[in-house]
Amino acid sequence: MALSRPTVGSRVQIVATGRAGEVILDDPDDASMTYKVQFDDGAAPEVDWFSQGAVSIDSTAIGAEDSQVAQKVEKATKELAALKALAEENARAKAKAEELAARAALKDKADADARAKARAEGFNIKLKGCTGANSPRMGCKSKAHYQLICGCGYTESFDEICGYAMDLPERQVSRCPSCGAEPCQELKDKRYPGPGAKRNICPGAPQIL
């Protein structure tokens, strides 16, 4: 009985070239690469994949014995299963890589948005407290404690020796050391940083021991 379609062990001809060969793999689920054909004419390529409509059964060929066909079908079934398992594994790995890349892109965007927001809001410097008399009388010196806080999450604490604790430090900070943000509007309104900064005495600064 004539076969309705080629399968493993079938002798076929390539419609476009007329080359004859034997089907060694048959994947009916893949319309673009249905048949893997092995040629025996010595020309290259010796093996190639073809779509379902690209081959036809070679009616002039002598069919193989049933036992030989059965062996070829068993071998082909195992090989095709291994190929499909590898393809599924590669597809999972690709999907995982794409998922990780998408997550990384989202994180990068979120980080970039946060940095942009921090640069827009700027940083602030606050007097946190004072150690000492907070008065220059009798030559006394005190230590003012400041904290720089930026919207990017960067914080820095530093001290200055002074007579009176001032709301702004003598240290001039023009950019956030982490993200490069400028001073916030509150500092800019006090003309900080700069030689004309409005620095006020803070006699009630909390004492820090």
Side-chain angles (χ1 to χ4, degrees), residues 63-84:
E65 294 182 3
D66 291 344
S67 60
Q68 293 177 325
V69 172
Q71 291 176 359
K72 292 178 180 180
V73 169
E74 182 181 3
K75 179 181 177 183
T77 300
K78 292 179 179 179
E79 184 176 345
L80 186 59
L83 287 174
K84 288 189 173 183

Side-chain angles (χ1 to χ4, degrees), residues 97-206:
E98 290 175 348
E99 179 185 356
L100 292 175
R103 288 182 181 178
L106 288 175
K107 184 178 183 302
D108 289 345
K109 185 179 184 304
D111 291 345
D113 290 345
R115 289 193 296 270
K117 181 181 179 182
R119 285 193 295 269
E121 294 177 350
F123 66 87
N124 205 345
I125 297 177
K126 295 290 187 179
L127 174 67
K128 304 303 291 183
C130 177
T131 300
N134 194 11
S135 172
R137 292 178 181 177
M138 306 297 292
C140 292
K141 293 291 185 182
S142 301
K143 182 182 289 185
H145 306 283
Y146 297 96
Q147 187 175 41
L148 182 154
I149 304 174
C150 184
C152 71
Y154 178 82
T155 61
E156 178 185 344
S157 298
F158 59 94
D159 303 328
E160 288 186 356
I161 302 299
C162 58
Y164 288 113
M166 310 295 285
D167 62 341
L168 292 177
E170 292 185 2
R171 175 185 171 186
Q172 302 292 295
V173 182
S174 59
R175 297 278 183 179
C176 170
S178 177
C179 71
E182 295 182 350
C184 67
Q185 192 59 49
E186 179 183 346
L187 292 180
K188 289 181 178 179
D189 290 343
K190 296 178 180 180
R191 297 200 293 272
Y192 180 91
K198 299 176 182 178
R199 302 174 69 234
N200 301 308
I201 298 173
C202 296

Side-chain angles (χ1 to χ4, degrees), residues 29-102:
D29 296 330
D30 190 337
S32 61
M33 291 196 301
T34 310
Y35 299 112
K36 187 177 183 181
V37 179
Q38 183 172 36
F39 301 103
D40 49 18
D41 55 6
E46 295 181 1
V47 178
D48 205 352
W49 285 92
F50 297 92
S51 66
Q52 187 167 348
V55 304
S56 62
I57 295 176
D58 185 356
S59 58
T60 64
I62 299 175
E65 294 182 3
D66 291 344
S67 60
Q68 293 177 325
V69 172
Q71 291 176 359
K72 292 178 180 180
V73 169
E74 182 181 3
K75 179 181 177 183
T77 300
K78 292 179 179 179
E79 184 176 345
L80 186 59
L83 287 174
K84 288 189 173 183
L86 180 60
E88 290 174 358
E89 182 180 347
N90 290 339
R92 287 193 296 269
K94 181 182 178 182
K96 184 66 175 179
E98 290 175 348
E99 179 185 356
L100 292 175

